Amino acid sequence: MKQVNGSYQFDRLISNIQTKEIQRLNYQSQMLQNLEQKIWQNAGLTPTMRVLDLGCGTGKISLAIAQYLTHGSIIGVDRSPTMISEAEARTRDSLTFQLGNSDNLDFPDSSFDFVYARLLFQHLSDPQTTLTEIKRVLKPGGIACLVDVDDDWVMFHPAIASMVTFQEAVVKAQLEQGGDPHVGRKLGSYLADVGFGRVKTAIEIVSSDLLQNNVEGSVGFAAFLDLLSFGAAFHDRHPDLITLGAKAKSDARKLLDLPYVWGAFGLFVVTGLKL
Ligand SMILES: C[S@@+](CC[C@H](N)C(=O)[O-])C[C@H]1O[C@@H](n2cnc3c(N)ncnc32)[C@H](O)[C@@H]1O
């Protein structure tokens, strides 16, 4: 049966998995920082805005946005007390954090110019309620920017049989936990359904080549693998995924001996305007 609390219940994970997941999210934010900045700017973020980072996790992205907001401010909200205490170390005048659930936001109507939700919607069992809340807390003319993945937009070459087995198991587990591994393609219609205007869906490709920059060899592919979660987020109710994920990652790393190996995923960037 589909779970109502969604597929990322961080505080239910055992502590060594929590620690690794925090490290992975921080690493991912760091590796994709240039891309992130391009995403906010294309979405219409300007340095004077009042911003909400919903499902802020470790707060590393919230901090990067705060540094961009020379005359604005940002608040990060997450439902996990562990994530919020991790994020609070980054607090400063223009950046604060608050515990909260996306489907019942503790802010008055029309509080924000820009709401950012990165890798949140794939975990929500009731995305429409969160979108209604986002729309409520945005000022008229404010922007919603949702960034997420879609499991059909993950690929490797050469193919890795254990990776396919693992990916199929993750899709099944995430659906059972109330999440949606194919949310990326749906976000635009979700925004339109709750009344957002000027809705646009773009896809940024994150590839091993993108990460490789100017480094020779397979460094980009190793870095690409380190971005991926390999089942950690679902460990509380699907511990088997860690074993399948470890096998897939270890088989993928064996490809590092080849002259060229490639991996990529699509990051869906979906924006809409509160009319
Ligand atoms: C995959 S992490 C992404 C964190 C961060 N946005 C990033 O990109 O690094 C998803 C985050 O969403 C939070 N989350 C999940 N469901 C939530 C909800 N209903 N309300 C608020 N936060 C939620 C989780 O606690 C977790 O920190």
Side-chain angles (χ1 to χ4, degrees):
M1 200 178 79
K2 189 170 159 164
Q3 304 286 311
V4 289
N5 285 325
S7 57
Y8 200 107
Q9 297 190 45
F10 187 75
D11 294 286
R12 290 177 53 144
L13 303 176
I14 56 172
S15 86
N16 78 322
I17 293 203
Q18 284 189 346
T19 305
K20 283 188 189 150
E21 185 60 358
I22 284 173
Q23 285 166 353
R24 183 185 71 86
L25 288 173
N26 284 337
Y27 173 75
Q28 194 188 68
S29 310
Q30 184 190 323
M31 294 300 280
L32 301 181
Q33 200 161 320
N34 292 345
L35 178 63
E36 283 291 318
Q37 187 147 345
K38 176 180 146 193
I39 289 172
W40 322 319
Q41 285 171 336
N42 286 349
L45 181 70
T46 65
T48 56
M49 285 181 162
R50 169 91 177 128
V51 179
L52 170 64
D53 183 9
L54 197 51
C56 64
T58 71
K60 196 159 165 74
I61 295 279
S62 323
L63 175 60
I65 296 178
Q67 286 162 341
Y68 177 75
L69 296 173
T70 47
H71 295 89
S73 63
I74 174 163
I75 181 158
V77 167
D78 201 284
R79 72 169 176 190
S80 158
T82 315
M83 283 297 196
I84 288 296
S85 60
E86 179 74 19
E88 272 170 344
R90 308 186 204 273
T91 301
R92 52 197 64 205
D93 284 350
S94 60
L95 171 62
T96 53
F97 294 97
Q98 190 171 305
L99 194 62
N101 199 307
S102 66
D103 58 18
N104 184 18
L105 294 174
D106 193 14
F107 301 105
D109 297 359
S110 303
S111 296
F112 298 99
D113 302 294
F114 192 96
V115 177
Y116 197 53
R118 181 181 187 273
L119 305 179
L120 170 69
F121 272 79
Q122 63 173 296
H123 297 299
L124 299 179
S125 56
D126 180 7
Q128 286 77 12
T129 301
T130 289
L131 280 171
T132 304
E133 278 293 86
I134 289 177
K135 192 170 160 220
R136 181 184 68 73
V137 301
L138 273 171
K139 299 174 189 171
I143 298 162
C145 177
L146 317 178
V147 174
D148 227 303
V149 289
D150 188 313
D151 278 20
D152 283 351
W153 282 72
V154 185
M155 57 195 83
F156 296 89
H157 188 78
I160 307 155
S162 56
M163 189 70 78
V164 175
T165 306
F166 167 70
Q167 286 172 310
E168 286 170 359
V170 164
V171 166
K172 191 164 169 284
Q174 189 165 14
L175 286 169
E176 274 172 27
Q177 292 191 17
D180 184 352
H182 301 119
V183 79
R185 71 191 71 176
K186 301 174 189 170
L187 290 170
S189 63
Y190 287 176
L191 277 171
D193 286 348
V194 298
F196 279 89
R198 290 202 222 152
V199 175
K200 285 201 185 86
T201 300
I203 303 176
E204 297 287 346
I205 302 298
V206 176
S207 70
S208 47
D209 283 351
L210 176 83
L211 301 177
Q212 189 156 318
N213 296 325
N214 299 320
V215 187
E216 284 301 318
S218 307
V219 175
F221 188 70
F224 179 79
L225 292 176
D226 288 341
L227 296 182
L228 309 178
S229 100
F230 289 103
F234 312 111
H235 175 258
D236 54 324
R237 283 159 289 169
H238 292 273
D240 50 307
L241 286 180
I242 294 289
T243 316
L244 288 178
K247 166 91 175 113
K249 187 168 185 181
S250 128
D251 287 351
R253 285 191 64 86
K254 289 179 193 152
L255 302 181
L256 289 168
D257 293 336
L258 296 176
Y260 185 78
V261 54
W262 183 79
F265 63 82
L267 204 53
F268 284 65
V269 182
V270 186
T271 50
L273 198 73
K274 176 170 170 177
L275 300 173

